[in-house]
Amino acid sequence: MAEFLFEIGLEEIPARMIAGAQAELQRRVVTLLERERLVSAGVASKSFATPRRLAVWVADVAERQEDVAEELVGPSIKVAYKDGVPTAAAQAFAQKAGVAVGALKTVTTSKGEYLAAATTKQGRETAEVIVAELPKELAGIYWAKNMYWRAGRPERFVRPVRWMVALLGAKTVPVNFGGYEAGAVTYGHRVLFGDEAIVLKSPGEYEQALEQGFVVADVEVRRQRIRKAMDAVTRTVAEVRWREDEELVETVTQLTEWPSVVMGGFEAEYLTLPEEVLVTVMRDHQKYFAVEDKAGKLAPHFLAVLNTAADEAGLAVIRHGNERVLRARFNDARFFWEFDQRVPLVDRVELLKNVTFQKELGSYAAKTSRVRKLASGLAGLVLERKCELNPVALDEAASLAKTDLTSELVKEFTELQGIVGGLYARAQGYGVATAEAIYDQYKPVSMEDSVPRTVEGAVLAIADKADTIAGMFGLGKEPTGSKDPFALRRAANGIVKILAETAVALPLTLAEIAAAACGQNETLAGKVRGFLAERLEFYLREARGHAYDVVKAVLAVGAEDVRDAVARAEAVTAVRGSDDFAAVSAAFKRMRNILAQAAEKGIAPAARVEAVLLTEATEKALAERSSELAADVLALRGERNHKAALESIATLRPQVDAFFDAVMVMAPDVEVRANRLALLGRVLGDFSGIAEFSEIVTAG
Amino acid sequence: MQATGEKKAARTFPALTFQELLFTLQRFWADQGCVLQQPYDVEVGAGTMSPDTFLRVLGPKPVRIAYAQPSRRPADGRYGENPNRLFRHTQLQVILKPPPVRIQELYLESLTAIGIDLREHDIKFEEDNWEWPVGGAWGVGWQVMLDGLEITQFTYFQQCGGMDLDPICGEITYGLERIAGFLQDVDSIYDIVWAVEPDTGRKVTYGEMRLAEEEQFSAYSFDYADVAKLWEHLNLYESECLSLLDQAKGFEKMDQLELKRFPVLGAYELALKCSHVFNLLDARGAISVTERVGVMARIRTLVVGVARIYAAQGQQLSGTVKE
């Protein structure tokens, strides 16, 4: 047994691809060794990654494969023997198997009796296996974007390979890939260690040896070092903290081999620029962390994560350089901000004719007029239902919503679209409702993002998204499989999330939104409505975590009112575990089956339940109790108290159980039978408004 | 506390003037075997569009070339008011086909040559891929960040004119103004010292040399350019380029001399002129939505068409250029 180490050195790998490739290399190497019977299942392994290397270490690898006993099957017995004497076919098989004819045996297969030979498959040397197999695994690694890099070679890889290490114990394994042969030599930090070779004597010393070469190979160790260094550096200023940003921590971890942190400052005058602008410049353009005071307000400092270690004088130089860059960036932003004010938003509406939304759907001016109309239609519905909404502010916001696309600030910082428009609207004297609606129009940008803060913002955001979906569907550009180039699923998820999560319930149904967005085209509206309903299902399962059958049951009785569907799903999930509810669900399923079977046989239920035809005590009891409960349930549902309604329905269990124990629904008497069917139909009808219980999967 | 931190520590190496920076980098790459070409004398939006890159990367012939190329982007004009942004800036473009194995190390040595002690600074290669859809060209690579400043675009060119490159090509593009500003530690491009008179010690600044140009060309592209005339220019250049592309269909019938003299390079200049006129129209806000996509497609036809006839011409002349 020996430890195995493989490292591939590359020119800087894109930070976003490192974590995936690291995990994939580890998986591929371990799986390869398992497949080749060189390690036992669950063998210990560890992976490493920096911008310039991916590596994997595996414990307890066999030095060679064990020989394996094999049974070779040859010709059939009929062919192999003639009058009990081995034929030429038998001789040839024995020779091929490497055994004497007398050592051959007979096996019985599904096709008859065959000649067989017990042989041994010789195990190969581990190094030989790795040399043969590992290059295929390397070539198979997935990269989001890769390159040709060697003349005359069709292979592609993420970046040029610069070296490889493959060590099995103390021995090198000469794996060939990308024009390099693996050895025992690795390299340290580009600048801090230079290009001096680091010769590894064994796999176990990898991490330690690289540490000497100013490389922290373990990603988690690097991440923690960065966090600690940021904490330490931030403490040099009183009462501030760096603003947590996990994604950015991940990025800088993948950009460094030997991280350190420097804190810089900027002139307080820049703090008059909106925080969103400052943070975007720092975060997205410079990969700097923002610093805030106790109240969460930005402080005039930033943290830069370096890929080097410098002494005080060196740090001063680096800090100065980073501050210089940031000041220039902030100056740019301020310049754009001021420059943009020369043309007020209202004058930019005209300029939108020059900004393409989508080739076939025209300019943003065209989109703006569609969204205005759509928003106004939706606002009408909202107002009709006695929900508060400021239609003037909404229309103002809809007409100005896209104008920031013509601003220099958004051209420079595209991730700030909408936000900039909102800030400009505020600065140019528009009301809070208008400004906030513009600001929030792209919300939610993901399942994790929050929804617009106001009703106006919510309606604008829905109208904008619905217009895009309807437009693209109208062009036949629906998402298919994993392809969704126009992010229509994200837009539809956004609509569902807004309907489900706004502070005030927004009385709009999916069908209304689809119809409003599609105009007279009913086929299109149907498709869009179906698409939205599909996203509601996704939302209930993925964002809310409801079980598949609960979602199905809830949506079977209505997918229109999103908030109601969410509430119903929550109620069903809450009560589905109770015995009574399970029993009632099962009984409902039974009722549905009985009704379906009757319908198949052409037996119709009576138009209504006649008390006089209820002959048995148990059916009378069911009829009476269910009537009383139906009123309660209706009242509870009116209060949107679905859970209480379901609990109330579950109390029907004794009557339901007793009914099925004592009563034969398909009675010989035609009238009694029709009456009983009517009773079942009524019970189902009265209690299935929250969910289609027959969809609920019950144990047993 | 003074928010801006300390002034830069005293340097042992005197900061280079703008022109010394250029000399030093050119000397460095000349020593690596690069032929120093002069800037191309037709307006281009990026050093990549010079035929010394766009056309020379095609085909199997090894190339090592370097040139300082002024790049004009009318829409980036700021009337000279923005201290960091120019309508015309200068790139030093280095093309190495095929890229040497030590290309990154060579690049880092070039930084040392201009006085940057790498151990004193933070340098990172961050993913930044390049694409010029109009030219059917793209590559993968990095932006090189020095103390948070993007000083270089480093690209492994993969495709050009819609054709795969074999061998591929390493392209290093230095932003000269940025690097000079960094070395001289000035906050405005216009404060960069371009040259120092040795006898008087008088400093000639970037602003002295170029501010008027920035002001006037910004005004031209944003306020004065005659839209109708620009459209006429575009149409004229385009039709002449198309006519050449059309005549190139007769390559098989041409004899060697005729083929060799066929003005593919002239066709490329016409395509570049169209591209520049398009940029002017764009800056002027004169291209409508419906026109925009169409005009870009027209220019793409020219640029990609020229790349193809360039490759075809080379192939017919030598029998080696790979399509």
Side-chain angles (χ1 to χ4, degrees):
Chain A
M1 290 291 176
E3 292 174 323
F4 176 63
L5 172 77
F6 177 75
E7 180 196 50
I8 183 163
L10 299 157
E11 295 182 7
E12 277 78 352
I13 310 165
R16 67 191 167 108
M17 302 180 194
I18 294 177
Q22 176 190 359
E24 188 177 343
L25 178 68
Q26 179 177 25
R27 181 172 55 71
R28 282 178 177 274
V29 168
V30 172
T31 310
L32 163 66
L33 296 175
E34 277 177 8
R35 191 174 70 222
E36 296 291 339
R37 298 175 283 109
L38 294 168
V39 294
S40 40
V43 68
S45 68
K46 192 169 178 205
S47 66
F48 304 90
T50 77
R52 296 178 72 212
R53 71 199 76 230
L54 299 172
V56 52
W57 166 93
V58 187
D60 300 329
V61 180
E63 311 266 351
R64 57 175 296 132
Q65 292 172 322
E66 277 185 31
D67 297 347
V68 198
E70 266 190 333
E71 188 172 70
L72 284 182
V73 178
S76 74
I77 293 298
K78 280 184 214 147
V79 177
Y81 294 96
K82 198 114 198 169
D83 307 324
V85 181
T87 61
Q91 306 276 6
F93 173 63
Q95 195 173 8
K96 186 180 141 212
V99 296
V101 178
L104 294 173
K105 34 177 212 170
T106 305
V107 291
T108 308
T109 75
S110 58
K111 285 184 268 169
E113 295 202 310
Y114 282 78
L115 211 53
T119 60
T120 307
K121 186 180 170 192
Q122 288 268 309
R124 288 190 291 169
E125 292 287 333
T126 300
E128 189 189 328
V129 173
I130 292 172
V131 167
E133 302 299 324
L134 190 53
K136 296 177 208 163
E137 300 296 332
L138 295 173
I141 292 176
Y142 168 79
W143 300 104
K145 193 168 188 105
N146 52 29
M147 61 178 281
Y148 292 115
W149 56 283
R150 287 201 293 160
R153 301 285 184 146
E155 85 237 5
R156 302 175 93 184
F157 213 62
V158 64
R159 288 290 185 274
V161 178
R162 300 301 306 279
W163 73 84
M164 278 185 299
V165 174
L167 277 179
L168 185 63
K171 278 188 238 134
T172 59
V173 183
V175 175
N176 260 290
F177 184 74
Y180 284 84
E181 185 176 290
V185 172
T186 186
Y187 294 91
H189 187 280
R190 229 188 235 302
V191 173
L192 295 174
F193 198 71
D195 44 18
E196 194 185 322
I198 299 173
V199 183
L200 298 172
K201 286 187 238 29
S202 74
E205 65 177 37
Y206 179 70
E207 222 177 322
Q208 184 60 35
L210 281 185
E211 181 90 22
Q212 302 289 320
F214 299 98
V215 172
V216 183
D218 185 314
V219 178
E220 190 48 38
V221 171
R222 222 159 56 235
R223 193 186 339 263
Q224 291 317 322
R225 259 195 215 191
I226 289 172
R227 284 185 170 279
K228 275 196 191 136
M230 290 206 292
D231 289 342
V233 166
T234 311
R235 274 197 293 273
T236 59
V237 174
E239 307 208 310
V240 297
R241 61 191 169 207
W242 56 276
R243 194 172 279 186
E244 178 59 57
D245 188 334
E246 221 177 292
E247 216 178 298
L248 189 56
V249 170
E250 176 66 17
T251 303
V252 295
T253 301
Q254 302 294 19
L255 277 173
T256 50
E257 294 205 303
W258 190 259
S260 58
V261 175
V262 67
M263 177 142 95
F266 54 83
E267 288 78 2
E269 61 184 85
Y270 292 112
L271 291 172
T272 56
L273 279 168
E275 186 171 310
E276 294 86 341
V277 174
L278 298 174
V279 172
T280 302
V281 171
M282 287 192 276
R283 174 186 206 280
D284 296 3
H285 294 252
Q286 295 299 133
K287 302 188 173 72
Y288 296 159
F289 289 83
V291 174
E292 58 188 23
D293 64 17
K294 268 187 161 171
K297 259 187 89 233
L298 276 196
H301 307 281
F302 67 91
L303 300 179
V305 177
L306 316 176
N307 183 33
T308 192
D311 57 16
E312 273 309 310
L315 275 183
V317 171
I318 294 171
R319 175 185 301 119
H320 178 77
N322 281 281
E323 286 173 343
R324 209 182 138 269
V325 178
L326 189 62
R327 193 178 307 123
R329 288 266 186 192
F330 281 171
N331 265 334
D332 268 359
R334 185 165 58 186
F335 176 87
F336 292 141
W337 176 274
E338 284 162 7
F339 186 86
D340 284 342
Q341 302 308 324
R342 298 182 196 178
V343 183
L345 292 181
V346 66
D347 292 345
R348 292 178 182 273
V349 175
E350 184 68 18
L351 302 177
L352 287 176
K353 288 182 181 160
N354 286 323
V355 189
T356 316
F357 165 56
Q358 206 272 338
K359 206 164 79 183
E360 291 93 338
L361 298 175
S363 68
Y364 270 99
K367 183 173 185 38
T368 297
S369 66
R370 287 196 307 268
V371 171
R372 270 182 85 176
K373 195 164 153 244
L374 178 50
S376 135
L378 295 176
L381 294 172
V382 171
L383 285 167
E384 243 170 52
R385 288 158 197 172
K386 312 270 177 273
C387 209
E388 274 189 39
L389 180 147
N390 177 345
V392 178
L394 173 60
D395 187 56
E396 198 168 58
S399 64
L400 300 176
K402 303 300 177 187
T403 52
D404 69 355
L405 294 175
T406 68
S407 72
E408 296 303 321
L409 202 56
V410 169
K411 282 184 204 161
E412 187 72 6
F413 307 111
T414 48
E415 55 274 64
L416 286 176
Q417 56 182 301
I419 292 169
V420 165
L423 295 170
Y424 283 175
R426 193 71 185 270
Q428 291 169 21
Y430 291 93
V432 178
T434 304
E436 286 190 349
I438 296 174
Y439 190 101
D440 288 349
Q441 65 178 300
Y442 295 102
K443 283 184 161 285
V445 294
S446 68
M447 288 297 248
E448 291 76 38
D449 193 18
S450 59
V451 300
R453 292 161 288 177
T454 61
V455 180
E456 293 80 14
V459 173
L460 177 59
I462 290 173
D464 184 30
K465 292 169 175 67
D467 172 71
T468 302
I469 296 168
M472 291 299 173
F473 269 60
L475 295 171
K477 293 180 192 285
E478 298 148 39
T480 49
S482 60
K483 289 207 178 78
D484 185 14
F486 306 102
L488 302 184
R489 289 199 186 103
R490 196 172 69 189
N493 289 341
I495 292 177
V496 169
K497 193 173 159 90
I498 291 170
L499 292 173
E501 298 178 18
T502 42
V504 187
L506 206 55
L508 293 171
T509 68
L510 297 181
E512 284 165 351
I513 292 168
C518 299
Q520 304 300 312
N521 190 336
E522 279 174 33
T523 322
L524 184 62
K527 270 193 200 168
V528 170
R529 188 190 155 280
F531 181 63
L532 292 174
E534 205 181 277
R535 300 328 292 168
L536 170 58
E537 190 181 332
F538 172 82
Y539 176 81
L540 290 173
R541 276 193 281 121
E542 301 301 321
R544 296 295 182 123
H546 293 297
Y548 187 82
D549 60 332
V550 170
V551 173
K552 223 172 147 196
V554 164
L555 295 185
V557 299
E560 277 307 321
D561 184 336
V562 168
R563 204 176 282 248
D564 188 53
V566 171
R568 287 185 284 123
E570 267 162 23
V572 174
T573 298
V575 304
R576 74 173 299 192
S578 86
D579 284 348
D580 285 346
F581 179 75
V584 170
S585 289
F588 280 13
K589 195 175 292 181
R590 195 164 160 193
M591 294 179 202
R592 188 165 297 282
N593 287 339
I594 292 169
L595 286 167
Q597 282 161 13
E600 252 172 51
K601 291 180 193 147
I603 305 168
R608 55 184 299 255
V609 181
E610 296 294 345
V612 290
L613 290 170
L614 297 170
T615 56
E616 306 290 325
T618 52
E619 64 177 328
K620 278 185 193 153
L622 177 62
E624 279 164 25
R625 184 71 194 128
S626 68
S627 279
E628 290 163 24
L629 274 181
D632 292 353
V633 166
L634 199 64
L636 287 167
R637 292 210 42 217
E639 298 160 19
R640 293 256 161 131
N641 196 345
H642 302 296
K643 184 160 172 272
L646 288 174
E647 281 161 354
S648 174
I649 293 169
T651 64
L652 198 57
R653 180 180 182 179
Q655 287 77 24
V656 170
D657 285 350
F659 174 84
F660 279 119
D661 283 344
V663 176
M664 178 146 86
V665 179
M666 302 306 268
D669 182 290
V670 179
E671 287 200 324
V672 169
R673 186 168 65 196
N675 201 52
R676 283 181 184 161
L677 287 172
L679 174 61
L680 295 191
R682 193 187 81 188
V683 170
L684 274 177
D686 285 349
F687 300 116
S688 294
I690 295 176
E692 172 56 65
F693 298 117
S694 60
E695 296 285 359
I696 303 284
V697 178
T698 44
Chain B
M1 167 193 171
Q2 197 195 343
T4 51
E6 309 86 303
K7 260 307 191 198
K8 191 161 190 164
R11 239 185 266 279
T12 49
F13 193 100
L16 301 179
T17 61
F18 189 67
Q19 67 189 29
E20 283 165 348
L21 169 65
L22 180 56
F23 297 156
T24 309
L25 287 172
Q26 286 185 328
R27 178 86 248 167
F28 178 89
W29 288 107
D31 288 344
Q32 303 304 323
C34 284
V35 172
L36 295 182
Q37 172 66 296
Q38 297 305 307
Y40 192 56
D41 55 348
V42 168
E43 306 93 329
V44 293
T48 306
M49 292 160 75
S50 158
D52 282 315
T53 294
F54 188 76
L55 297 177
R56 284 187 198 275
V57 297
L58 296 166
K61 196 176 166 191
V63 175
R64 285 191 202 171
I65 198 166
Y67 53 92
Q69 180 64 46
S71 301
R72 297 191 187 211
R73 293 176 187 175
D76 279 356
R78 291 291 179 268
Y79 298 92
E81 289 177 20
N82 185 309
N84 308 304
R85 197 162 298 233
L86 299 167
F87 115 88
R88 203 188 86 162
H89 67 285
T90 315
Q91 301 176 333
L92 180 73
Q93 176 88 353
V94 180
I95 289 293
L96 301 166
K97 177 177 88 170
V101 170
R102 293 189 68 252
I103 186 167
Q104 278 186 309
E105 282 73 22
L106 281 177
Y107 166 73
L108 293 173
E109 282 169 28
S110 77
L111 297 185
T112 307
I114 56 172
I116 296 169
D117 179 352
L118 295 176
R119 281 160 308 175
E120 232 188 36
H121 294 278
D122 174 43
I123 192 149
K124 298 192 193 90
F125 287 75
E126 298 182 7
E127 181 192 18
D128 193 15
N129 304 317
W130 173 81
E131 190 181 19
W132 184 35
V134 167
W138 66 274
V140 303
W142 308 278
Q143 49 180 347
V144 183
M145 307 296 285
L146 182 67
D147 296 348
L149 177 70
E150 181 192 346
I151 54 168
T152 301
Q153 187 69 45
F154 193 129
T155 309
Y156 287 112
F157 235 67
Q158 298 284 296
Q159 262 204 348
C160 191
M163 294 173 279
D164 281 345
L165 303 185
D166 190 8
I168 61 147
C169 171
E171 180 203 51
I172 299 171
T173 301
Y174 299 83
L176 292 179
E177 287 87 355
R178 286 204 176 178
I179 297 174
F182 174 86
L183 293 175
Q184 297 181 12
D185 193 21
V186 293
D187 288 333
S188 165
I189 291 169
Y190 298 107
D191 294 338
I192 291 169
V193 176
W194 190 301
V196 179
E197 290 176 3
D199 50 345
T200 64
R202 190 176 93 83
K203 289 180 175 126
V204 180
T205 65
Y206 194 92
E208 238 175 286
M209 297 304 296
R210 295 215 48 256
L211 181 58
E213 191 186 330
E214 283 296 322
E215 289 169 341
Q216 295 186 15
F217 275 91
S218 294
Y220 176 72
S221 30
F222 294 130
D223 311 316
Y224 287 87
D226 183 326
V227 173
K229 287 266 173 7
L230 287 176
W231 280 116
E232 278 180 50
H233 289 160
L234 183 68
N235 294 338
L236 285 172
Y237 290 135
E238 180 193 32
S239 70
E240 192 174 356
C241 183
L242 284 172
S243 154
L244 289 173
L245 289 177
D246 196 49
Q247 291 172 63
K249 286 177 188 154
F251 274 177
E252 292 92 52
K253 293 181 210 117
M254 292 181 191
D255 62 35
Q256 286 293 100
L257 186 63
E258 208 182 345
L259 181 66
K260 201 167 76 176
R261 288 182 176 172
F262 186 84
V264 172
L265 299 174
Y268 188 56
E269 280 201 5
L270 291 163
L272 287 180
K273 282 176 180 293
C274 286
S275 172
H276 179 64
V277 174
F278 171 83
N279 289 341
L280 276 174
L281 282 164
D282 202 27
R284 194 84 172 82
I287 296 186
S288 74
V289 181
T290 34
E291 281 163 334
R292 192 185 173 78
V293 179
V295 183
M296 294 204 18
R298 278 163 67 187
I299 296 170
R300 185 185 153 91
T301 303
L302 306 182
V303 175
V304 172
V306 171
R308 291 192 181 281
I309 65 167
Y310 178 85
Q313 186 184 41
Q315 192 166 34
Q316 297 228 354
L317 287 172
S318 67
T320 51
V321 176
K322 194 178 148 197
E323 173 98 23

